[in-house]
Amino acid sequence: EEGLCVYKSLSILAVCMSVMQSGTQMVKLKSGTKGLVRLFYLDEHRTCIRWRPSRKSEKAKIVIDSIYKVTEGRQSEIFHRHAEGNFDPSCCFTIYHGNHMELLDLITSNPEEARTWITGLKYLMAGISDEDSLAKRQRTHDHWVKQTFEEADKNGDGLLNIEEIHQLMHKLNVNLPRRKVRQMFQEADTDENQGTLNFEEFSVFYKMMSLRRDLYLLLLSYSDKKDHLTVEELAQFLKVEQKMNNVTPEYCLDIIQKFEVSEENKKQNVLGIEGFTNFMRSPACDIFNPLHCEVHQDMDQPLCNYFIASSHNTYLTGDQLLSQSRVEMYARVLQDGCRCIEVDCWDGPDGEPVVHHGYTLTSKILFRDVAETINKYAFIKNEFPVILSIENHCSIQQQKKIAQYMKEIFGDKLDLSSVVAGDSRQLPSPQNLKGKILVKGKKLPCSLGADAEEGEVSDEDSADEIEDDCKLKPCYSNGATERQVESFIRTKLESLIKESQIRDKEDPDSFTVRALLKATHGGLNVNLKQNLDIKEGGKKSHSRSLMGNFGKHKVSKMRNSVCCSSSDSILKTLGIRLAHRRRTVKLCRALSDLVVYTNSVAAQDIVDDGSTGNVLSFSETRAHQAVQQKAEQFMLYNQKQLTRVYPSAYRIDSSNFNPLPYWNVGCQLVALNYQSEGRVMQLNEAKFRVNGNCGYVLKPQQMCKGTFNPYSADPLPASPKKQLILKIISGQQLPKPPDSMLGDRGEIIDPFVEVEIIGLPVDCCKDQTRVVDDNGFNPVWEETLTFTVHMPEIALVRFLVWDHDPIGRDFVGQRTLAFSSLVPGYRHVSPFHCIHIINKQLIGLRGLFNKNPKHSSAETSGHCVRKRSIGDRILRRTASAPAKGRKKSKMGYLEATEIKDSASEPTDLKDKEGVVRRTSRSLQARPASMPVDKYLLVGLPCPADETAQDAKGKENTSGKILPKLLLV
């Protein structure tokens, strides 16, 4: 019976896949419209859903990997808005996808079609998430190669001629001489149909083009010039270069069986160049320490000794004015490792408290739904405690409802009576609080009697309240309607979004308090007025003067001059009045009693009054002042209490501030907008990935006891420094910049690599390789970058690939990792290739460095290739195109301001972020590295000699060894 059941389920899934790939006509429901009829279908590779007709053409798709969940029936907001549609719930379903929880609401013509799609999508989601990493990468690569072939086959005859191949080479960022392309074409063209390549022949051609010269040379150096590695030679490579311990013959045999593509090589137990390439580009050779994928730090110290992953306005999917509030955002951030989430509570209709961003037009969700979602997802990925930052704006009656819901839904998770802190003057540890939910909020003062059911508490530190003069409360009796106001604001936000897309993704301005009038509530108010009766010229002039104020951080002055003097009259014109802050609010006993170890206290001067369990809240502007004026006192305070830093109210676009200054003084709860992608969230992800992504990372010992000045030129004189030595070797299949105006038709990129160290101010610096001209497919840099790091425990290492342009640079890709998570040996930086890292005390890192194509990894395909076609000719037919042995003529990224100031700062220069950009390795003066093929003339480097040299470098030091890197 079990066998019959399995067979039946498989046949059902096969029918689902067939129906989905054939396509189904469904109604796509959209806000403000009656719905659009479209044909939805699953692509042949089962990786994405597409629909037609669509103006977006290629972009009209949803990748299966991006789907968060599929819900049945009429559960989404849009379905509720279309109540008059009277749709059959059994024909309705919603797909939640993307980082911002976008919704696709669909209606089928009958329940059977809806059931087919729901079943099929859930199967695909489960299958992809459970799939082995290597198998998934290979499947993705195979699909990508097939798709590339089909797109290059313009006439659809299943064959590619030489001209189609040349066009494809340009699209793939390859600039090889036509004679080399023709040579590879002829070698791959082995069937009777001469002059064209079918898919199998194209796969062989693609392998020839993709073979890695640098990896082939590495293989030769350990194989005694043979084109394969034996078990013993592979073991020697793993021990000497990869610094692996306990390498057994069984482990090496397993590598050969898993990664080798030639059956002949598998039988002989040897690893050829294709298998070696597959292994070197697999997760086994990633730069990230696999031990850090699990919790490995001491979790028995007080809460204040940990950095805690924290979210701001968790419920929002986008900006702070108009975006949707969704309970799914709580599920997403909790599963992403966030442990401190924010819940803004307001009075709702029918006595039901709601969650939304007050004094704005964001949508509302029920508090009860939020609590149920938190309860469901809080401890799925890890059991360490979750902190609920409750921002209470409710009446006493609805506060009691909030307390009631939390008790009913969270149950024993709120019971902290059994938690023992050990020392009553210390906070409990994450280990002792496992499975618990802490409520961060206001607590009634001890001066009130125990029988008092309510009392007054300060409202001065409410982390999400908009500044006094910028709170908007609509009243439509004598002015603009809500629709008009929303239209004005939406127009403004769209211009902000467009501007942010044009801005450099690494623009340092995005880490300050958005030095833009356009990003303030006051600015929006001004803009609303100007849209009505002020000419464009006047707007530009006004913006410039106010931007000047903001750029100088004159926040309070600007607030007074802009909001107070002009906003009031403008808002009256639009029928909007300002709400005034209440200095105190009433708090009910039931809600107060739920607060135990996380009592929110008003922002004030940093003092040590001996009490525990307080959480001091700062806006980023106030925290910035505290860091600048009292860094050491701030650090001492954070050794006993928790501090939360949240974004300025002016960040209406949900941009993020630079968290480094606050981490550097030990602030635990640095709250960021998780819904906003970009540099800051990449830094946050790298920081918390170091301890199994559990949301808790132990602070360095120096931050937990004693103190130091993080702004000092030598903050820790007693601690040994580390040296990071990175040898950037090569890249592979770097895509064209994502925002390239010409897309695939654009010029072949001229890539260079920038490495940035991010940590204490003294450690913050950047360095970069030279530019390789016209090669995005397989560039070779062979260049070493060296960095000295005073506090490696908190340092982050950021790898970036740029496309050099005569008038600037274009962002290609990045990866950010914690310094402590780097491992030694030849390593790839995914989604980049190989980097060699060596760590001398001063820890060193040499590396190879490569990047995958936009849509997939670039492993070689599984089809067999004749050894004669690869091994014998690889050195003369490689696509690596080693950089020319000449000094670099192009100037990488050195800003004019840096060049101008070089006289006063001869050694190091600071960019707009205050980050040192080293000039001792000037691009103009830096000699070009030796072309790889010269190794064949002067002899390959001896691994034994290199090891001896490394040992000599470590003679008087105590640091660990780090890797050699390959860019993927």
Side-chain angles (χ1 to χ4, degrees), residues 945-960:
D945 293 343
E946 188 172 56
T947 307
Q949 192 175 5
D950 292 345
K952 184 178 180 182
K954 293 193 296 291
E955 210 168 285
N956 299 317
T957 60
S958 59
K960 64 179 182 182

Side-chain angles (χ1 to χ4, degrees), residues 302-304 308 385-388 413-430 432-434 436-443 591-601 611-616 637 640-643 668-669 696:
L303 277 181
C304 53
I308 305 171
V386 169
I387 301 172
L388 294 192
K413 298 182 181 74
L414 291 175
D415 182 11
L416 304 179
S417 59
S418 60
V419 175
V420 179
D423 186 341
S424 60
R425 294 170 298 175
Q426 285 188 341
L427 290 167
S429 69
N432 286 337
L433 290 168
K434 265 190 169 182
K436 297 298 183 182
I437 292 177
L438 304 181
V439 177
K440 184 184 87 66
K442 291 289 185 179
K443 198 163 181 65
L591 195 52
S592 172
D593 287 347
L594 296 179
V595 178
V596 181
Y597 294 110
T598 46
N599 176 30
S600 290
V601 295
S611 61
T612 57
N614 290 334
V615 181
L616 189 65
Y637 178 87
K640 297 182 179 179
Q641 306 284 7
L642 298 176
T643 297
Q668 299 87 355
L669 303 162
Y696 288 84

Side-chain angles (χ1 to χ4, degrees), residues 739-787:
D739 296 328
S740 174
M741 292 177 63
L742 298 176
D744 291 335
R745 295 175 295 132
E747 291 186 357
I748 294 171
I749 67 172
D750 304 325
F752 68 95
V753 179
E754 179 180 76
V755 179
E756 180 180 5
I757 306 299
I758 304 162
L760 291 183
V762 69
D763 291 334
C764 290
C765 60
K766 301 176 183 179
D767 204 352
Q768 62 193 44
T769 67
R770 59 194 166 81
V771 173
V772 172
D773 296 337
D774 293 332
N775 190 348
F777 191 78
N778 234 346
V780 171
W781 291 282
E782 286 281 348
E783 211 165 330
T784 301
L785 309 180
T786 304
F787 304 92

Side-chain angles (χ1 to χ4, degrees), residues 297 307 687 690 697-703 708 716 719-720 722 758-760 763 789-796 818-821 843:
Q297 295 181 341
F307 297 112
K687 186 171 190 69
V690 74
V697 170
L698 190 61
K699 295 196 290 190
Q701 189 62 29
Q702 299 95 321
M703 284 187 178
F708 64 91
L716 300 163
S719 301
K722 303 271 185 176
I758 304 162
L760 291 183
D763 291 334
V789 184
H790 292 70
M791 197 174 204
E793 297 90 341
I794 63 169
L796 303 175
F819 183 99
S820 57
S821 293
I843 292 183

